[in-house]
């Protein structure tokens, strides 16, 4: 193309087109090489308007400048800054070490961009049309910016290392031949990963990825109807993961911020499953106003997730499942309307320490929440809720939860045990409502006292009996373990004898139920 001396002197090679000569000179000067026509329709890199040779440069000339370009002019820093340029052929920088700063805005790539195992300082491709970006094991010291780009056959960033920020805001990524939109397994991002208002058509895969600060999918729309739209097990985010609304008024100014009240927003929407199993999040996972469209076999899976704060404030999915098995959360912020019904919620081994409901979430509705997660009886969700309520000073609500647990358990017991359970429930509510025992005792005592006041009661031995007292006699029968000096001195016959037997039997049942309930209550206390 030219000899070494010519390249060292910065001479322009003779076989370059006019567009390439201008790019060569702009590179040495460190200035922006802008070939835009000033017409938004013509300049749209995603539109159908053709760009001729006057706006086209060869990919190998771009690679030459980046890998072994001419020296900068005196007092300038060599860099490649292109706007409105079309790059012909495959841009192949695989394995290369690129020192110059690279920025392309509103450019159009005819074929894929290959950056695997390449090293850069900073890469900024803004509002570009790219058939495919292949960048496995890419290494950047600074940012990788890809906002408002359109990728027709996916992006691959497997095991890439981004020194500071990765930006995909407002980008559109279509699936590759494997069904993935963005493959970022093993990706490491030093600071923020922002993919706000992203449109993803395929599986967005971040298995084992690590993000140094926050991961934002505010306002994004992920679509993979027959699979997982977001597949990110073992994801680590040092601070917060946002699946929340994003402002539409000026995304560039509001990016990374929670929209102000009254701002027009776009909610996070996901058509397809989400998998965040075994994820680690330092501050929070935020589902504020998130919308999920799931098939019956799909789920939002948070198995074994560890996070300080889970904000489950999205829209209730009509189908599919929410799975929290084994998750560990310090604070659960939720809304009653966000949780699905029976058969759509799993919470085996789900641990949380504090409940902060957003809006009305009455105890009865909270019990429905637990019941929805346990169509087949499991004590764990009930016991966890009761423990959290008790630690919050809500002892009455905690007892109601444990009572509901016993009632749910009873439905799966043999008939005889189930009947005994009904007795305990009717009498002392399994010991969680001890006041009911006193009420039953008082009612039975009063009824028996009135009845025995009309009974014929000849003494067993003349002259060796206390004065007849029907109230004390009834109480002596009701309390089988206490002798009040009445029951053993009188002889009842006929129906009165049967009535005394019934009172004794009821007394034994009541005392046994009270004892069983008290034992359970003490054991729980």
């Amino acid at each position: 193309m030219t000899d070494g001396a010519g390249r060292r002197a910065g001479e322009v090679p003779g076989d370059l087109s006019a567009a390439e000569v201008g790019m060569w000179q702009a590179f040495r000067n460190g200035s922006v090489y802008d070939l835009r026509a000033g017409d938004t329709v013509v300049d749209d890199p995603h539109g159908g308007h053709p760009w001729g040779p006057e706006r086209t440069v060869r990919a190998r000339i771009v690679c030459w400048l980046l890998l072994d370009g001419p020296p900068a002019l005196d007092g300038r820093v060599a860099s490649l800054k292109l706007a409105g340029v079309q790059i012909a052929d495959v841009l192949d920088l695989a394995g290369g070490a690129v020192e110059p700063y690279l920025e392309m805005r509103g450019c159009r790539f005819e074929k894929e961009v290959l950056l695997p195992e390449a090293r850069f300082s900073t890469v900024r491709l803004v509002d570009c049309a790219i058939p495919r970006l292949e960048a496995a094991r890419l290494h950047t010291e600074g940012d990788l910016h890809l906002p408002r780009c359109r990728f027709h056959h996916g992006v691959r960033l497997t095991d890439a290392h981004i020194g500071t920020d990765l930006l995909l805001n407002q980008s559109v990524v279509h699936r590759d031949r494997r069904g993935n939109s963005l493959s970022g397994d093993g990706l490491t991002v030093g600071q923020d990963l922002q993919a706000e208002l992203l449109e993803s058509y395929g599986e967005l895969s971040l298995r084992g990825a690590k993000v140094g600060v926050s991961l934002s999918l505010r306002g994004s729309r992920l679509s993979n109807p027959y699979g997982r739209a977001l597949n990110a097990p073992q994801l680590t985010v040092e601070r917060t993961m946002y699946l929340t609304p994003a402002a539409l008024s000026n995304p560039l100014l509001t990016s990374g911020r929670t929209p102000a009240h009254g701002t027009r927003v776009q909610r996070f929407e996901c058509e397809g499953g989400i998998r965040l199993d075994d994820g680690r999040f330092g501050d929070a996972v935020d589902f504020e106003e998130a919308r999920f469209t799931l098939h019956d076999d799909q789920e939002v899976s948070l198995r074994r997730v560890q996070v300080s704060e889970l904000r489950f404030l999205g829209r209730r999915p009509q189908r599919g499942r929410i799975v929290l098995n084994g998750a560990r959360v310090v604070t659960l912020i939720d809304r009653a309307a966000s949780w699905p019904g029976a058969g759509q919620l799993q919470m085996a081994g789900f641990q949380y320490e504090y409940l902060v409901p957003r809006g009305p979430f009455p105890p009865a509705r909270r019990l429905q929440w637990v019941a929805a997660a346990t169509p087949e009886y499991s004590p764990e969700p009930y016991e966890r809720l009761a423990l959290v309520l008790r630690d919050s000073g809500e002892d009455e609500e905690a007892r109601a939860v444990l009572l509901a647990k016993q009632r749910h358990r009873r439905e799966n017991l043999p008939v005889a045990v189930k009947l005994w359970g009904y007795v305990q429930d009717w009498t002392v509510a399994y010991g969680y409502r001890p006041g009911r025992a006193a009420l039953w005792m008082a009612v039975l005592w009063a009824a028996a006292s009135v009845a025995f006041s009309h009974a014929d009661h000849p003494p067993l031995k003349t002259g060796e009996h206390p004065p007849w007292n029907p109230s004390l006699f009834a109480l002596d029968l009701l309390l089988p373990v206490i002798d009040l000096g009445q029951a053993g001195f009188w002889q009842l016959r006929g129906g009165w004898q049967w009535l005394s037997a019934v009172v004794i039997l009821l007394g034994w049942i009541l005392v046994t139920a009270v004892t069983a309930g008290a034992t359970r209550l003490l054991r729980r206390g």
Side-chain angles (χ1 to χ4, degrees):
M1 191 173 290
T2 185
D3 58 23
R7 289 199 299 274
R8 286 193 296 271
E11 296 176 359
V12 178
D15 62 344
L16 300 187
S17 67
E20 292 167 350
V21 170
M23 179 177 66
W24 185 282
Q25 294 171 339
F27 176 83
R28 295 192 64 199
N29 192 44
S31 58
V32 177
Y33 187 52
D34 192 345
L35 294 181
R36 290 174 292 189
D39 185 324
T40 55
V41 176
V42 173
D43 291 334
D44 184 3
H46 316 294
H49 197 284
W51 291 359
E54 73 281 358
R55 296 182 64 167
T56 303
V57 300
R58 289 171 289 176
R60 67 187 184 93
I61 305 302
V62 174
C63 295
W64 184 7
L65 290 174
L66 292 174
L67 296 173
D68 190 22
L73 297 176
D74 293 342
R76 311 295 293 183
V77 177
S79 58
L80 188 61
K81 302 174 184 176
L82 305 180
V85 176
Q86 180 169 268
I87 294 88
D89 300 321
V90 176
L91 182 67
D92 189 352
L93 290 165
V98 178
E99 293 184 3
Y101 172 84
L102 173 61
E103 180 177 309
M104 298 185 181
R105 292 181 177 271
C107 293
R108 184 183 291 173
F109 292 81
E110 288 186 351
K111 296 184 179 180
E112 61 185 351
V113 177
L114 303 180
L115 306 178
E117 301 190 38
R119 300 183 70 89
F120 289 83
S121 54
T122 292
V123 179
R124 289 191 171 95
L125 305 179
V126 180
D127 194 24
C128 294
I130 306 173
R132 175 172 172 79
L133 175 60
E134 177 67 50
R137 298 173 299 282
L138 169 72
H139 188 286
T140 69
E141 296 296 331
D143 299 335
L144 174 60
H145 286 189
L146 304 169
R148 303 196 303 283
C149 289
R150 293 190 183 181
F151 302 93
H152 303 288
H153 301 289
V155 174
R156 188 181 182 199
L157 290 170
T158 305
D159 296 317
H161 177 90
I162 310 304
T164 49
D165 296 333
L166 171 58
L167 265 61
L168 287 158
N169 296 344
Q170 298 175 269
S171 290
V172 179
V173 189
H174 294 273
R175 69 182 67 236
D176 61 16
R177 61 179 180 272
R178 296 182 179 179
N180 294 331
S181 57
L182 188 149
S183 299
D185 299 344
L187 171 68
T188 300
V189 179
Q191 295 184 17
D192 291 320
L193 195 169
Q194 289 191 13
E196 300 180 359
L197 299 169
L198 171 75
E199 292 183 32
S200 169
Y201 300 96
E203 181 177 292
L204 197 164
S205 182
L206 294 172
R207 294 181 295 181
K210 296 181 180 179
V211 180
V213 184
S214 294
L215 192 165
S216 178
L217 287 165
R218 290 182 173 97
S220 293
R221 291 177 173 174
L222 311 183
S223 178
N224 193 23
Y226 302 105
R228 293 191 182 100
L230 175 60
N231 186 22
Q234 298 182 329
L235 172 66
T236 300
V237 178
E238 293 298 327
R239 298 195 64 181
T240 301
M241 181 175 183
Y242 297 97
L243 296 96
T244 57
L248 291 174
S249 55
N250 192 335
L252 294 179
L253 295 179
T254 58
S255 177
R257 303 177 184 176
T258 301
H261 182 70
T263 305
R264 183 167 171 261
V265 299
Q266 178 172 297
R267 294 177 175 85
F268 171 84
E269 296 183 4
C270 181
E271 184 181 10
I274 290 182
R275 184 186 180 201
L276 297 176
D277 298 350
D278 300 293
R280 301 292 182 268
F281 306 89
D283 289 348
V285 176
D286 194 345
F287 288 96
E288 178 84 38
E289 295 297 329
R291 293 180 177 178
F292 306 106
T293 302
L294 306 172
H295 293 294
D296 290 335
D297 60 342
Q298 293 176 333
E299 56 190 30
V300 176
S301 178
L302 301 173
R303 291 177 173 88
R304 299 174 299 280
V305 161
Q306 294 186 25
V307 60
S308 295
E309 188 171 280
L310 175 60
R311 303 168 192 161
F312 199 83
L313 302 165
R315 300 295 182 90
R316 176 190 293 126
Q318 299 302 311
R319 300 166 65 185
R321 294 180 300 276
I322 305 296
V323 183
L324 291 161
N325 294 346
R328 299 180 65 182
V329 174
V330 177
T331 302
L332 175 60
I333 301 175
D334 62 349
R335 184 183 290 122
S338 296
W339 296 107
Q344 291 182 268
L345 179 60
Q346 297 178 14
M347 297 195 302
F350 177 38
Q351 298 182 32
Y352 50 94
E353 298 179 20
Y354 303 99
L355 284 173
V356 183
R358 185 81 62 85
F361 208 147
R365 181 66 183 85
R366 186 66 77 176
L367 277 175
Q368 292 176 9
W369 173 64
V370 174
T374 54
E376 296 183 0
Y377 172 72
S378 174
E380 275 184 318
Y382 290 97
E383 292 173 356
R384 170 57 54 175
L385 177 58
L387 177 62
V388 171
L389 292 173
R390 187 183 295 117
D391 290 344
S392 301
E394 301 178 27
D395 292 339
E396 182 62 30
E397 288 79 1
R399 286 193 291 270
V401 171
L402 293 174
L403 176 57
K405 182 193 78 167
Q406 292 297 331
R407 288 171 173 168
H408 194 171
R409 173 178 174 270
R410 181 177 66 206
E411 301 308 313
N412 300 302
L413 296 175
V415 175
V417 182
K418 185 183 294 187
L419 291 175
W420 174 238
Y422 279 116
V423 170
Q424 293 187 74
D425 196 354
W426 292 334
T427 54
V428 292
Y430 288 95
Y432 297 117
R433 293 176 183 171
R436 187 180 293 182
L439 177 62
W440 276 108
M441 184 66 73
V443 170
L444 290 174
W445 183 26
S449 298
V450 171
F452 287 125
S453 66
H454 300 89
D456 186 20
H457 51 280
L460 290 174
K461 295 182 180 180
T462 305
E464 298 183 9
H465 58 83
W468 169 252
N469 187 324
S471 296
L472 202 58
F473 179 78
L475 188 59
D476 203 356
L477 296 177
L478 278 173
L479 300 177
V481 295
I482 301 176
D483 185 4
L484 299 179
Q486 279 285 330
F489 293 93
W490 309 101
Q491 182 178 4
L492 302 182
R493 295 185 178 89
W496 296 111
Q497 190 175 17
W498 282 105
L499 177 61
S500 65
V502 170
V503 171
I504 292 173
L505 179 61
L506 291 177
W508 273 108
I509 291 175
L510 184 61
V511 169
T512 304
V514 169
T515 304
T519 302
R520 183 180 297 107
L521 193 61
L522 291 172
R523 186 169 60 247
R524 278 292 166 210

